[in-house]
Amino acid sequence: MRLNGRETRTIWRDDEGRGVWVIDQTLLPHRVATRRLEDCAAVETAIRDMVVRGAPLIGVTGAWGLALAVADDPGDAAIEAACARLLATRPTAVNLRWALERLRAWLLATAVAERYAVACAAAERIAEADVATCATIGDHGAALIKAAAQRLDRPLNILTHCNAGWLATVDWGTALAPVYKAARDGAKLHVWVDETRPRNQGASLTACELQGESIPHTVIVDNAGGHLMQRGLVDLVIVGSDRTTRAGDVCNKIGTYLKALAAHDNKVPFYVALPASTIDWRISDGVADIPIETRDPREVTHIAGCAADGSLVEIRLTPQDVAARNDAFDVTPARLISGLITERGICAANADALSRMFPDLAG
Ligand code: MRU
């Protein structure tokens, strides 16, 4: 997708040396900078510090991390140790486990001398598959959006939370892929962008993406969604997912649950766009079974941004030494979800519909 007028992806292989290049998302929208991750340790840091973030992109970057670990030591013990270290970087997005488990199995079944080449090829395959999957999610979701937009004589108002756009994947995105595809097909749209405290992925990343694609949008504070829904100013909510249970509960960025409650109360359709790699078939109860990442309270007490002179600054919002808590995700129960937009089509958020949609994965 387009960033500063240029087509780009979020991650690509370094053709000249060992490593991968990524866009440093901690600097957006104020700086567009790339960073080379040259070994597994650099990948671990980039995921933990959210230089790369978003469930599908975390999975792809993790796969590259394992490939780079294999470059240093292709032995079984080193592979197991790298998987454990990478898995510990961010506990909620299940795509990381999905990618690492697949790659680990392929590597352990490969002769040691061939492991690095196999790992790089597999990481590239996982990245390409992510692009194709997101594009297909976009097609299915765009049909839904275009049908809703056709019934109106004004732009369709879509609300989204956090960033589930192309920056959260390799390209296209999940929740925003339908928006991009519908807009390219001529649908008249406007997007309400939740700022998404504490890290403001909506205000910084989603707004930056929508600007790049020239899609009308308005950033709102996280608490505004319910109010806008009560006034008929939201037609549809689409968000992403970091982990979806086999029963259709969805874990996504903190604050998603409150939007789902408000949407339910106001009869606004609430959809979740997700690739199958986000479904954790081992669990059913999202609230009981999904590990919720807790991050540094400093993300709550401080805020980063761009000063008038263009420098990047961080300021404190709270009294010094105040207690703060930073749960990064919450769980939206399946009963509040109108439908799941997947690469195989749109289905209801329940165990039956999901296992009918993915009979080969549901077990
Ligand atoms: O903490 P983040 O920025 O990694 O959280 C991202 C989200 O919550 C996204 O909505 C989710 O990963 C879906 S991404 C296509």
Side-chain angles (χ1 to χ4, degrees):
M1 304 292 284
R2 283 189 288 268
L3 183 62
N4 273 3
R6 285 186 50 199
E7 282 291 328
T8 185
R9 286 185 174 182
T10 51
I11 185 166
W12 59 95
R13 187 178 182 171
D14 184 353
D15 290 329
E16 282 158 23
R18 212 182 72 174
V20 283
W21 287 95
V22 296
I23 296 172
D24 185 344
Q25 300 195 21
T26 62
L27 301 178
L28 289 172
H30 315 296
R31 306 267 191 282
V32 178
T34 54
R35 203 191 267 204
R36 185 166 162 271
L37 310 177
E38 70 285 356
D39 57 20
C40 185
V43 168
E44 287 165 44
T45 307
I47 296 176
R48 189 174 288 111
D49 294 350
M50 295 178 64
V51 169
V52 290
R53 30 66 54 200
L57 181 58
I58 291 171
V60 172
T61 313
W64 272 113
L66 186 50
L68 293 170
V70 168
D72 282 331
D73 182 344
D76 290 8
I79 289 174
E80 301 292 4
C83 281
R85 285 197 316 271
L86 286 160
L87 261 180
T89 53
R90 294 202 69 190
T92 301
V94 78
N95 308 57
L96 184 56
R97 186 182 82 197
W98 172 88
L100 291 174
E101 282 184 353
R102 296 177 90 195
L103 192 46
R104 175 184 166 278
W106 289 330
L107 290 174
L108 295 181
T110 299
V112 172
E114 290 160 26
R115 282 181 179 172
Y116 179 52
V118 166
C120 291
E124 302 235 47
R125 259 199 328 273
I126 290 173
E128 288 306 322
D130 184 66
V131 178
T133 297
C134 289
T136 314
I137 288 172
D139 292 333
H140 293 303
L144 178 91
I145 290 177
K146 286 188 287 184
Q150 248 169 23
R151 294 192 285 270
L152 302 174
D153 55 4
R154 55 163 175 81
L156 183 84
N157 284 307
I158 300 172
L159 183 142
T160 192
H161 190 71
C162 193
N163 172 260
W166 68 269
L167 288 165
T169 64
V170 179
D171 208 352
W172 283 113
T174 57
L176 292 186
V179 171
Y180 295 137
K181 294 230 169 190
R184 287 182 185 192
D185 285 349
K188 297 278 171 276
L189 310 172
H190 166 263
V191 183
W192 296 113
V193 179
D194 279 351
E195 58 174 348
T196 318
R197 279 281 290 150
R199 288 189 66 103
N200 297 302
Q201 291 96 324
S204 58
L205 305 177
T206 299
C208 179
E209 284 195 26
L210 293 169
Q211 242 177 19
E213 291 296 313
S214 305
I215 293 181
H217 60 283
T218 306
V219 176
I220 53 175
V221 296
D222 290 324
N223 295 327
H227 160 76
L228 295 176
M229 290 181 207
Q230 278 179 329
R231 276 156 181 72
L233 294 172
V234 181
D235 300 303
L236 180 66
V237 180
I238 311 183
V239 298
S241 170
D242 284 82
R243 197 183 288 227
T244 305
T245 69
R246 61 182 303 125
D249 293 346
V250 165
C251 183
N252 191 50
K253 181 53 55 191
I254 192 83
T256 303
Y257 171 46
L258 287 176
K259 293 299 137 66
L261 284 172
H264 190 257
D265 195 43
N266 291 282
K267 301 188 177 39
V268 174
F270 183 97
Y271 281 86
V272 182
L274 59 109
S277 54
T278 301
I279 304 171
D280 188 344
W281 297 101
R282 300 174 196 176
I283 58 173
S284 295
D285 183 339
V287 175
D289 298 334
I290 297 179
I292 300 293
E293 175 182 3
T294 52
R295 296 186 61 84
D296 191 339
R298 189 179 175 88
E299 293 179 351
V300 177
T301 55
H302 291 64
I303 197 160
C306 186
D309 66 358
S311 60
L312 300 185
V313 293
E314 187 192 67
I315 57 163
R316 180 164 45 81
L317 297 168
T318 59
Q320 231 161 355
D321 302 325
V322 80
R325 175 174 166 140
N326 190 7
D327 295 16
F329 299 95
D330 62 24
V331 174
T332 298
R335 69 186 158 78
L336 298 177
I337 299 170
S338 310
L340 303 175
I341 307 170
T342 78
E343 64 268 44
R344 295 200 190 162
I346 301 178
C347 72
N350 63 52
D352 275 0
L354 269 173
S355 57
R356 272 199 309 277
M357 185 72 88
F358 296 99
D360 48 328
L361 304 178

